[in-house]
Amino acid sequence: MMIAAYISGSLSGALIVSKLMHLRNPSDYGSHNPGATNMLRVNGKFPALCVLIFDMLKGLLPVYLSYRLNISPFFLGIIAIAACLGHIFPCFFRFQGGKGVATALGSMVMIGFDFSGLFIATWLITIVITGYSSVAAIISFLLAPLFVWFIRPELTMPVAMLSCLIIIRHASNIGRLIKGEEPKILNRNKKSKININY
């Protein structure tokens, strides 16, 4: 299941959606990140939503199948990490992938709707306040282990491991934030219009 999760994670939603819709490949534009955020900047809202759903499913499906096979909670976390590693270091694309946020969220949906609701609410509130997708992801994953500790404490360790992976993956974003060079996805000074000119 770990191998299957990694292969599932290695599928690029951004590339598949851009090919099917005859759009620009986000890996060649914007931040060059093959994820939903850069897809939004490059090709707009609907293609970005399709990528978001695709990337969530490739994390959700391996974890769900593993859950049905009665695999222990700790190894469910390892399988989730394998799916995220596939997205971050895809074997099909020279090991150059995205940040893994959507795939990680998809893999954690099995924890429950209460956890998913808290996580998504945290992400939305942070992005509305700051305008930065990266800040929203970092804060959401920082709080994820705390949320899961109150809901399903036996999953705290695997969720913490997954959160560490995603936060480490955002090291370059943290550097740009410190320098004031990180682009915003939501520009509150322009009546909250999405900025896709980056």
Side-chain angles (χ1 to χ4, degrees), residues 139-169:
I139 291 178
S140 298
F141 279 99
L142 279 173
L143 293 176
L146 178 62
F147 293 155
V148 80
W149 185 76
F150 284 108
I151 297 167
R152 293 190 65 183
E154 70 273 16
L155 297 177
T156 302
M157 181 58 70
V159 169
M161 294 166 61
L162 184 58
S163 296
C164 287
L165 173 64
I166 301 303
I167 293 170
I168 290 170
R169 183 60 175 163

Side-chain angles (χ1 to χ4, degrees), residues 11-69:
L11 299 173
S12 175
L15 180 60
I16 292 171
V17 170
S18 60
K19 288 285 187 181
L20 291 176
M21 294 185 175
H22 305 287
L23 301 171
R24 292 179 294 176
N25 183 356
S27 297
D28 299 327
Y29 299 91
S31 66
H32 303 283
N33 180 38
T37 300
N38 196 40
M39 190 71 163
L40 175 63
R41 295 187 184 111
V42 175
N43 291 314
K45 296 179 182 178
F46 181 69
L49 178 62
C50 293
V51 172
L52 177 65
I53 294 171
F54 186 99
D55 286 349
M56 287 182 66
L57 285 174
K58 69 186 189 182
L60 170 62
L61 292 177
V63 174
Y64 175 74
L65 291 174
S66 301
Y67 172 77
R68 298 295 295 179
L69 291 171

Side-chain angles (χ1 to χ4, degrees), residues 164-191:
C164 287
L165 173 64
I166 301 303
I167 293 170
I168 290 170
R169 183 60 175 163
H170 280 79
S172 60
N173 300 84
I174 294 171
R176 287 194 297 270
L177 285 165
I178 293 172
K179 296 177 183 178
E181 299 174 353
E182 179 78 349
K184 289 187 175 183
I185 191 174
L186 187 65
N187 193 334
R188 298 179 65 199
N189 295 326
K190 294 183 179 181
K191 298 181 180 181

Side-chain angles (χ1 to χ4, degrees), residues 77-95:
I78 299 299
I79 290 164
I81 290 172
C84 291
L85 286 173
H87 181 84
I88 296 170
F89 305 108
C91 59
F92 304 124
F93 304 101
R94 297 172 298 189
F95 302 100

